Amino acid sequence: MNVKSCEKKENNIAELVMDISAEEFDAALNEVYRKNRNMISVPGFRKGKAPRKIVENMYGATVFYEDAMEALLPRACADAVREKELNTVGYPDVKDVHVNDDKSVTVTFEMALYPEVTLGEYKGLKAVKPAVEVTDNDVQGEIEKIRLRNARIENVDRPAINGDTAIIDYDGYLDGVAFEGGHGENYELKLGSNTFIPGFEAKIQGMQVGEERDLDLTFPAEYHAENLAGKDVVFHVKLNELKSQVLPEADDEFAKDVSEFDTLAEYKDHLREDLKVQKEAQAQAAFENALLDKAVANMQADIPAALIDEYVEGGVENFSAQLAQYGMGLEAYLGMTGSNLEQFRESIRPQAEKQAKLNLTLEKIAEVEAIEPTDEEIEAEYADVAAQYGLELDDAKQQVDKAYVTRRVKLNKAQKLIAENGVVEEAPAEEPAAAEEAPAEEAPAAEEKTEE
């Protein structure tokens, strides 16, 4: 294999032209022949015993070319990239393959190059840090959340209202015929959860336990089941049970039950401090994110689409792994949401592009600032990775490449450098509301009074 030329083109694309010797091509052809000969029948020969030349004479000289190229080109392209010491992303885009008269092969392919980054300002950047204030309403909101978490569920004998849990039997009918998926028994439905199609839960409100009711409804026009989309249907519903949440009183006994404090006042003081810590962390994160956005906006790089594609695929893999933790596959999730893989990829592409730009900026800062992680920092990062993936520390060290962990530390230190050199600026003063002007039609009336 010999690289004849390597030319950098627009949009960070490199075009390479290389020759693959006749000997290398013949070896690839021979490998394909050996793998496939037992499936080839040639009159006069036992299956798998016909020589390659005989097979090529019978089926054509190019019979093995396509499979040979599939096996040969990825290795040859990888060798060419290594020889030219190119930092590439994505996969080779083969533009032309030509078999020469001497049976050597000339291949032209393109590769996206990892972009060169030109940094702008990243030290001394200014951003607003949100003010931190914990109000009585904030504290009361936390109390209400805790009351909800500690609510008990009990059966009630009254008309159903929003927020109740209705235990129902239901059957759906389209033109008087039961349709698939429209039947359920003792189904627990939280009224107001918007679990069913619009109007279903609202029409159950007011029902009494034991009551049966026909619900006239219409499926949404964009419903995923085409046979039901936009159709008028009737659901026959029976209310078997009705359950309601009963919230505990917010008093001293409540405080004792949910905390180590003896009084509600003490517990509220504790919640106020917790909220203050949380809001301060949120304010700091908002400040640092604003600095990062400015650092990214200040940098310049010609980012190839292949790099964004890599981040998109990484996002797909990460989301699939998260779903797997809940026992759900990506395909099932997409089916439930009425989407497909291509639509999902496009939905996460803007965030993938943003993350790519951020990482490029941080990588360049780490390079310029000669940031190198210490052994202690790498050890701490391995501990974080182990916790993130639910691994033992030793297992994490064996399974996770050190280069990946080292890169994470570098990016984190570069991000910290931006934050430490950031400057908090005051939020711009709100402009006073403009004075209301008199309606235009009132002006003549005022003039008339003046004249009188």
Side-chain angles (χ1 to χ4, degrees):
M1 190 271 294
N2 173 49
V3 180
K4 295 172 65 175
S5 66
C6 177
E7 178 186 356
K8 186 173 180 180
K9 303 171 70 177
E10 294 180 353
N11 300 322
N12 257 343
I13 300 295
E15 181 184 84
L16 293 93
V17 180
M18 64 180 181
D19 284 336
I20 298 172
S21 69
E23 291 76 17
E24 289 174 297
F25 184 45
D26 189 67
L29 291 170
N30 216 36
E31 183 180 345
V32 173
Y33 159 71
R34 287 198 303 269
K35 285 182 178 179
N36 292 279
R37 62 185 177 184
N38 289 332
M39 296 181 287
I40 300 172
S41 296
V42 175
F45 292 89
R46 294 197 307 275
K47 203 168 188 179
K49 296 299 182 180
R52 178 181 142 194
K53 292 297 182 185
I54 298 294
V55 175
E56 289 174 338
N57 286 338
M58 181 173 180
Y59 291 98
T62 63
V63 63
F64 298 123
Y65 276 22
E66 184 175 350
D67 288 345
M69 292 298 181
E70 285 186 6
L72 184 61
L73 290 185
R75 297 197 302 265
C77 291
D79 288 344
V81 167
R82 276 194 298 270
E83 179 180 323
K84 292 301 180 180
E85 298 181 343
L86 300 178
N87 188 7
T88 62
V89 292
Y91 299 97
D93 182 11
V94 177
K95 295 297 184 181
D96 183 63
V97 178
H98 180 70
V99 179
N100 303 309
D101 293 340
D102 63 355
K103 293 298 185 275
S104 65
V105 181
T106 300
V107 182
T108 302
F109 71 97
E110 292 180 347
M111 286 293 299
L113 299 175
Y114 204 79
E116 288 293 327
V117 174
T118 302
L119 291 173
E121 288 187 31
Y122 60 91
K123 289 181 180 179
L125 297 173
K126 296 179 180 180
V128 174
K129 185 175 181 179
V132 173
E133 180 186 8
V134 179
T135 66
D136 291 342
N137 284 339
D138 293 332
V139 175
Q140 190 58 40
E142 286 300 300
I143 291 289
E144 294 308 311
K145 290 178 187 177
I146 297 164
R147 289 180 70 202
L148 279 171
R149 288 201 297 267
N150 287 273
R152 69 180 188 275
I153 305 296
E154 62 180 30
N155 285 60
V156 291
D157 186 15
R158 56 161 172 74
I161 61 174
N162 196 43
D164 287 342
T165 297
I167 313 302
I168 60 172
D169 296 339
Y170 63 88
D171 287 287
Y173 298 91
L174 173 63
D175 297 330
V177 179
F179 56 82
E180 185 178 355
H183 173 77
E185 295 181 4
N186 289 320
Y187 184 89
E188 291 195 13
L189 175 62
K190 179 72 176 289
L191 302 183
S193 64
N194 298 318
T195 303
F196 281 1
I197 62 174
F200 189 100
E201 295 164 32
K203 291 191 175 186
I204 290 178
Q205 294 181 39
M207 289 181 68
Q208 296 272 10
V209 173
E211 182 181 345
E212 299 185 35
R213 183 179 290 184
D214 285 337
L215 314 182
D216 295 318
L217 299 167
T218 302
F219 273 92
E222 67 278 8
Y223 194 68
H224 61 84
E226 292 183 4
N227 63 314
L228 296 174
K231 298 296 178 62
D232 294 329
V233 296
V234 176
F235 277 95
H236 182 76
V237 177
K238 180 183 178 183
L239 180 59
N240 298 324
E241 287 183 76
L242 190 63
K243 298 182 179 181
S244 180
Q245 285 184 324
V246 179
L247 305 182
E249 289 295 326
D251 53 20
D252 290 345
E253 289 303 315
F254 167 75
K256 290 177 184 178
D257 288 340
V258 299
S259 72
E260 73 270 23
F261 299 99
D262 293 328
T263 67
L264 182 62
E266 290 174 325
Y267 186 40
K268 284 185 173 182
D269 288 342
H270 168 72
L271 291 176
R272 188 180 298 274
E273 289 303 313
D274 274 357
L275 285 170
K276 184 179 179 182
V277 171
Q278 292 173 25
K279 287 196 171 189
E280 286 175 345
Q282 291 167 0
Q284 181 64 24
F287 170 65
E288 293 183 9
N289 286 337
L291 295 176
L292 290 174
D293 287 343
K294 290 189 175 184
V296 171
N298 290 340
M299 77 86 167
Q300 294 181 345
D302 191 2
I303 304 176
L307 181 59
I308 308 300
D309 291 341
E310 283 192 359
Y311 276 84
V312 169
E313 293 310 310
V316 172
E317 291 174 9
N318 288 338
F319 189 68
S320 296
Q322 292 173 15
L323 289 174
Q325 293 178 352
Y326 297 98
M328 180 179 286
L330 179 60
E331 186 174 344
Y333 169 82
L334 294 174
M336 288 174 57
T337 57
S339 183
N340 58 47
L341 187 55
E342 240 358 89
Q343 291 172 332
F344 180 70
R345 284 194 178 106
E346 288 308 306
S347 72
I348 66 174
R349 184 171 293 277
Q351 183 58 36
E353 183 173 359
K354 182 177 180 180
Q355 190 64 49
K357 289 180 177 178
L358 173 60
N359 285 353
L360 286 170
T361 303
L362 296 176
E363 285 171 355
K364 190 63 177 181
I365 291 172
E367 177 189 329
V368 170
E369 297 286 343
I371 293 175
E372 290 297 335
T374 65
D375 292 341
E376 292 77 11
E377 288 169 336
I378 290 177
E379 186 75 10
E381 191 67 23
Y382 261 121
D384 286 346
V385 171
Q388 179 181 347
Y389 293 103
L391 299 171
E392 295 294 330
L393 182 58
D394 288 342
D395 292 335
K397 290 180 178 179
Q398 291 180 1
Q399 297 179 30
V400 181
D401 188 38
K402 188 175 180 179
Y404 167 78
V405 174
T406 301
R407 179 175 179 270
R408 276 181 46 147
V409 175
K410 285 185 175 183
L411 297 187
N412 289 339
K413 293 183 75 171
Q415 185 169 328
K416 186 177 179 181
L417 183 146
I418 295 173
E420 289 175 344
N421 287 275
V423 178
V424 177
E425 65 178 353
E426 292 185 8
E430 293 185 7
E431 294 184 6
E436 292 186 7
E437 297 182 358
E441 61 270 22
E442 292 182 6
E447 294 172 357
E448 290 172 5
K449 287 182 181 179
T450 304
E451 291 172 357
E452 290 178 0

